[in-house]
């Protein structure tokens, strides 16, 4: 092909004249501007990994199965239904379907020239046929937008009146079709290998004149099935039960099991007239083996009145409000829950800093440790797992990495404690919004039957952040203070991502166990002689959006579960109050964390510095306590109940715990007097003095262990107590008892017996019982596991598009042919290949280009052996290197001459 031939009569490198329709997806992309390419790469970021070398590579990558499946999963319901209708639109004649077979009838999205299955004389019918398949005023209004969305995602290409679905998308959406439509008449006949004589018999039975060949016979039958009046007249002659058989297959699946050797009269009548075709083993999307029939697409469309879908959903379901509350009430309720969330995380990490749980060998938190944590927090285990995972996602909790690995707070936890309450809440809310780990999966089993543990592997779900953000976004569309009807929220989420929900539902263990079979055709004979099967389950080998998929998603799909959990977790975290989105949480949807914290601050109560001491040995904190006061009071008393006011109870054990930290009775009296609004009750003063008087009378050391006391009578009392028998005490001296038990066990047993012993060192000094606060080395929060490649930023998009355009220019620019020395040029450099020249010719051409300033097309092999083609403007050639402006990279580069495979001059435009 000469350069003039490649440029075409219109002067274009792709061979198209001005205003002509693109012949391939690559040509279609070549005609788009940078903004359209940026929009494509933004919605399909997987196309950028790595950056394509030119637009042909981009088109090829956009047509791969994995990329197309990912793109289809991100379509809304009506856009997906538009693609499904486009896949089954009658865009080809039956002659081509018979001649080429079912495989080519799916159309092409990348082959040059005329696309098989889409002849130029038939494609003008595509847009009109699409409108007929998607009837209704709302559908007609939304159809241009749906086609534009498919075009923007490179799933559809071509001109406006002849949209073409890329081949891979067509194959995914017709094998089998989610619409329930079967193969065309031509495809079914070709799969069944109907002989020409059999086709003529079908024509005669249908009342049509004989034809000269199978192609025209199928065309006549297809025209009959597509004519409503003639089709109605034909069905009026059908015997009783024949139309009922068709109605069972009308909305799919289109395959039914029959006794082919001895069909009943209604089925035999339908077979004789081509309204049912035997399903051969090669039927597209059909059951393997014999004994099945298929309803041709043209006949099914007549029965449906031309509709592709039983339920067309052009408009997104509306999210409705179930209840309405005052905005102030919602904000106050949510703010109270936000304070509860902060105290819960503090209590969790405060507990784990002194008693850190061990890490399982396979990773994660053990079941016993989770139960113990739930008891300590006074929460159900699922709620405890949520707070554990949230602290982990926020970077406040991690494993220490030691030999005996345990979970403990990180140094970031100390910084978090020093921040203001609103800022601490913003840290938790931001981590929750972006976390891909799903606490609701804890306790379930993975594909291998292993239990999923909190903080363990297998809890990441890439779609979780998107579901959370979208669920809150739907709440934000309601009036302030309105709580949504959850069913409407789930229905809206299902409409926005129907394929994703259906896939997740199918992949869940419960769905896999319930499915059991592959859903192939089963016998459904009735007593009235009807033999066609009308399966009610979805027989989808590829993702679909039928009613079965919607039902699966609504009842057990992961996406629906994530939405339920997101709304519950938002309520626990204080993002919502009474089901409605809090006003201060709205900035979170725009990633404005500081604004959210600033908006929350006025709704939080001020910390209090006093408590109410009562005669029943309790203290009531009327609000959140100052940090130092809360820390000291939690040592001196036990938390009895939480809520708007926290109740603490003083016990001998709690007072002893405070004395173990080194405080004296006088210190405790002064502390309570300074922080009580009321006088210290007499019972509490007596309790402190009584415990302090007994505290330290007994001293426990290591012998294995011993008990020392100046009171002989007290030691005799202990020896006589039957509860001390397990300690195996013996009197070494009038004031000393010895025991083989370790000191910590001896201390614990004596305290259980009601004594107040104190531990002492080898020098006889009292050991202060201040528990060490365990901390891990500095840790970073876990990285979310995204659902696909990350979104590219503007800088990356601009650079990628510039590189793709430059590579495409290098690949499509016409080049002057190179001929052997002494011969005239015989033709251009082979299209798609690298130029090949000897070193002497390469050097001479480079030196000539530096003098004339002309552009050259070179083939280059880098140090890794990767070959590429580039368009350069040489500036200097010396020392075995050429310095040139590289139009492909848009910068000046230096290339070793020995790595240049060849060179050709670029034809002037």
């Amino acid at each position: 092909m000469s350069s003039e031939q490649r440029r075409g009569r219109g002067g274009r490198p792709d061979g198209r004249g001005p205003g002509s329709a693109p012949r391939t997806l690559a040509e279609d992309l070549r005609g788009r501007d940078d903004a359209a390419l940026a929009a494509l790469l933004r919605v399909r970021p997987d196309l950028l990994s790595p950056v394509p070398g030119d637009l042909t590579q981009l088109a090829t990558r956009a047509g791969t199965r994995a990329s197309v499946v990912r793109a289809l999963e991100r379509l809304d319901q009506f856009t997906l239904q538009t693609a499904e209708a486009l896949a089954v639109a009658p865009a080809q004649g039956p002659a081509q379907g018979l001649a080429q077979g079912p495989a080519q009838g799916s159309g092409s999205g990348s082959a040059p020239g005329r696309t098989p299955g889409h002849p130029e004389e038939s494609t003008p019918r595509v847009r009109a046929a699409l409108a007929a398949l998607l009837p209704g005023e709302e559908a007609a209004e939304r159809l241009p937008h749906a086609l534009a969305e498919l075009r923007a995602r490179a799933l559809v290409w071509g001109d406006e009146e002849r949209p073409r679905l890329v081949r891979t998308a067509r194959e995914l959406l017709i094998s089998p079709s989610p619409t329930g439509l079967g193969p065309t008449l031509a495809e079914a006949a070709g799969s069944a290998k109907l002989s020409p004589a059999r086709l003529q018999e079908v024509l005669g039975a249908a009342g049509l004149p004989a034809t000269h060949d199978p192609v025209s016979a199928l065309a006549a039958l297809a025209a009959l099935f597509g004519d409503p009046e003639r089709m109605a007249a034909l069905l009026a002659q059908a015997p009783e039960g024949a139309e009922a058989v068709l109605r069972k297959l009308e909305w799919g699946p289109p395959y039914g099991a029959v006794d082919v050797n001895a069909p009943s009269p209604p089925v035999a009548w339908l077979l004789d007239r081509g309204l049912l075709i035997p399903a051969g083993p090669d039927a597209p999307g059909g059951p393997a083996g014999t004994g099945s029939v298929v309803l041709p697409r043209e006949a099914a469309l007549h029965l449906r009145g031309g509709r592709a879908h039983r339920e067309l959903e052009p408009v997104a379901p509306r999210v409705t409000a179930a209840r309405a509350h005052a905005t102030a009430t919602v904000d106050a309720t949510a703010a109270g829950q936000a304070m509860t969330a902060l105290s819960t995380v503090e209590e969790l990490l405060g507990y784990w800093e002194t008693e850190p749980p061990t890490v399982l060998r396979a990773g994660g938190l053990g079941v016993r440790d989770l139960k113990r944590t739930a008891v300590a927090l006074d929460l159900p285990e699922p709620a405890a797992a949520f707070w554990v995972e949230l602290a982990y996602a926020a970077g406040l909790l991690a494993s220490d990495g030691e030999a005996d690995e345990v979970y403990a707070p990180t140094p970031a936890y100390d910084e978090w404690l020093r921040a203001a309450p609103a800022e601490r809440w913003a840290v938790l809310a931001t981590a929750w919004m972006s976390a891909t780990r799903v606490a609701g999966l804890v306790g379930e089993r993975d594909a291998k039957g292993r239990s999923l543990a909190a903080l363990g592997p297998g809890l990441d779900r890439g779609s979780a952040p998107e579901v959370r953000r979208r669920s809150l976004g739907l709440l934000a569309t309601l009036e302030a203070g309105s709580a949504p009807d959850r069913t409407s929220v789930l229905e809206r989420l299902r409409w926005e991502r129907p394929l994703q929900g259906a896939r997740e539902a199918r992949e869940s263990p419960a769905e896999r166990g319930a499915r059991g079979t592959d859903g192939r055709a089963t016998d459904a004979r009735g007593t009235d002689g009807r033999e066609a099967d009308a399966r009610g389950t979805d027989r989808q080998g590829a993702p679909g959006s039928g009613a079965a998929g919607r039902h699966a998603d609504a009842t057990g799909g992961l996406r629906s579960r994530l939405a339920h959990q997101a709304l519950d977790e938002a309520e626990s975290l204080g993002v919502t109050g009474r089901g409605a989105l809090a006003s201060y949480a709205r900035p979170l949807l725009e990633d404005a964390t500081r604004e959210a914290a600033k908006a929350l601050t006025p709704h939080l109560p001020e910390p209090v510095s006093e408590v109410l001491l009562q005669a029943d040995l309790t203290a009531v904190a009327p609000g959140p306590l100052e940090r130092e006061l809360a820390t000291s009071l939690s040592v001196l008393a036990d938390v009895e109940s939480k809520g708007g006011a926290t109740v603490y109870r003083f016990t001998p054990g709690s007072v002893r715990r405070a004395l173990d930290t080194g405080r004296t009775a006088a210190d405790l009296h002064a502390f309570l007097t300074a922080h009580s609004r009321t006088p210290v009750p007499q019972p509490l003063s007596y309790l402190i003095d009584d415990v302090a008087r007994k505290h330290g009378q007994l001293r426990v050391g290591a012998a294995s262990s011993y008990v020392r006391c100046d009171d002989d009578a007290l030691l005799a009392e202990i020896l006589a107590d039957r509860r001390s028998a397990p300690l195996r005490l013996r009197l070494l001296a009038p004031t000393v008892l010895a025991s083989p038990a370790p000191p910590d066990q001896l201390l614990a047993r004596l305290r259980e017996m009601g004594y107040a012993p104190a531990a002492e060192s080898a020098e006889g000094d009292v050991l202060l019982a201040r528990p060490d606060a365990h901390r891990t080395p500095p840790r970073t929060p876990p990285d979310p596991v995204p659902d696909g490649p990350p979104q590219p930023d503007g800088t990356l998009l601009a650079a990628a598009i510039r590189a793709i355009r430059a590579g495409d220019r290098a690949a499509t620019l016409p080049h002057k042919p190179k001929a052997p020395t002494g011969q005239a040029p015989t033709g251009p450099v082979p299209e798609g290949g690298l130029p090949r020249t000897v070193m002497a010719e390469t050097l001479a051409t480079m030196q000539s280009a530096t003098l004339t300033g002309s552009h050259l097309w070179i083939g280059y092999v880098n140090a890794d052996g990767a070959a590429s083609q580039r368009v350069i403007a040489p500036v200097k050639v010396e020392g075995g290197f050429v310095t040139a402006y590289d139009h492909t990279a848009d910068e000046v580069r230096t290339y070793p001459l020995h790595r240049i495979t060849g060179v050709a001059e670029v034809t002037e435009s």
Side-chain angles (χ1 to χ4, degrees), residues 433-624:
M433 291 280 287
S434 61
T436 56
R437 295 181 62 83
V438 180
L441 299 178
V442 172
E444 297 187 3
R445 298 192 175 275
D446 61 10
K448 296 182 179 180
R450 297 172 299 192
S451 180
L452 298 176
L455 301 179
L459 295 182
D460 285 289
R461 297 296 182 270
S463 58
E466 186 266 335
V467 172
R468 293 192 194 106
R469 185 174 294 272
R470 188 58 191 138
S471 298
L472 297 182
L474 293 177
L475 268 63
T477 61
L478 299 174
E479 293 185 4
S482 296
D485 178 12
R486 285 203 177 187
T487 303
S488 66
V489 173
L490 298 180
E491 189 65 17
R492 177 61 174 268
L493 292 174
R494 191 273 312 165
W495 187 90
E496 292 179 351
R497 294 288 187 273
L499 281 189
Q500 197 172 62
R503 170 177 59 82
E504 290 165 345
R506 287 195 305 273
E507 290 179 352
S508 65
E511 290 291 324
R512 284 198 298 268
R515 190 163 60 241
T517 62
D518 60 359
R520 293 197 179 274
T522 56
D523 196 356
R525 297 186 186 90
T527 56
D528 57 357
R530 293 193 293 254
E531 299 180 9
D533 175 35
R535 290 170 302 213
T537 56
D538 216 1
R539 193 182 58 83
Q540 312 234 0
S545 63
R550 291 198 302 272
H551 175 72
D553 178 50
T555 55
L558 177 62
R559 189 174 176 84
S560 294
R561 292 183 55 196
L562 290 177
H564 273 297
Q565 293 169 7
L567 296 177
D568 292 337
E569 293 167 357
E571 192 77 14
S572 300
L573 192 55
V575 176
T576 61
R578 298 195 177 186
L581 185 66
S583 61
Y584 60 78
R586 292 177 182 267
L588 291 176
L589 298 175
E590 301 175 0
D591 297 323
T593 305
R594 290 186 178 181
E595 287 74 4
K598 187 182 300 183
L600 172 61
T601 302
H603 300 283
L604 297 178
E606 291 292 333
V608 297
S609 59
E610 293 179 329
V611 296
L612 302 175
L613 296 179
Q614 303 184 103
D616 61 349
L617 298 180
T618 60
V620 178

Side-chain angles (χ1 to χ4, degrees), residues 325-377:
H325 307 282
T327 305
T329 303
V330 171
D331 290 346
T333 304
Q337 194 58 45
M339 289 299 300
T340 302
L342 296 179
S343 63
T344 302
V345 173
E346 290 181 36
E347 186 177 358
L348 165 68
L349 297 180
Y351 174 56
W352 278 17
E353 72 180 357
T354 57
E355 299 183 30
T358 58
V359 180
L360 295 176
R361 182 179 301 177
L365 184 67
V367 175
R368 293 181 179 178
D369 288 324
L370 180 60
K371 289 182 178 179
R372 187 162 51 246
T373 301
V375 171
L377 298 179

Side-chain angles (χ1 to χ4, degrees), residues 118-138:
H118 286 277
E120 296 296 332
E121 61 272 11
S122 64
T123 47
R125 302 182 304 172
V126 174
R127 186 64 179 267
L130 197 58
L133 291 169
L134 304 171
E137 295 182 1
E138 292 180 337

Side-chain angles (χ1 to χ4, degrees), residues 568-713:
D568 292 337
E569 293 167 357
E571 192 77 14
S572 300
L573 192 55
V575 176
T576 61
R578 298 195 177 186
L581 185 66
S583 61
Y584 60 78
R586 292 177 182 267
L588 291 176
L589 298 175
E590 301 175 0
D591 297 323
T593 305
R594 290 186 178 181
E595 287 74 4
K598 187 182 300 183
L600 172 61
T601 302
H603 300 283
L604 297 178
E606 291 292 333
V608 297
S609 59
E610 293 179 329
V611 296
L612 302 175
L613 296 179
Q614 303 184 103
D616 61 349
L617 298 180
T618 60
V620 178
L625 298 176
E626 293 180 349
R627 176 161 308 283
E628 293 183 1
L629 174 58
T631 302
S632 299
L633 191 59
S634 64
V635 175
L636 181 57
D638 298 324
V639 177
E640 189 170 77
S641 65
K642 302 176 184 178
T646 305
V647 178
Y648 295 85
R649 178 165 294 279
F650 299 94
T651 65
S654 66
V655 174
R656 179 198 52 75
R657 187 172 62 231
L659 294 172
D660 285 344
T661 62
R663 294 190 177 190
T664 64
D667 295 335
L668 299 182
H669 285 302
F671 170 78
L672 292 176
T673 302
H675 294 94
S676 175
R677 291 184 183 179
T678 58
V680 178
Q682 193 177 51
L684 180 56
S685 297
Y686 286 169
L687 175 65
I688 294 174
D689 293 338
D690 186 52
V691 174
R693 184 170 53 255
K694 299 178 180 178
H695 185 264
Q697 282 186 305
L698 297 178
R699 300 293 184 90
V700 175
S704 289
S705 60
Y706 64 84
V707 179
R708 182 172 64 84
C709 181
D710 296 333
D711 189 348
D712 298 349

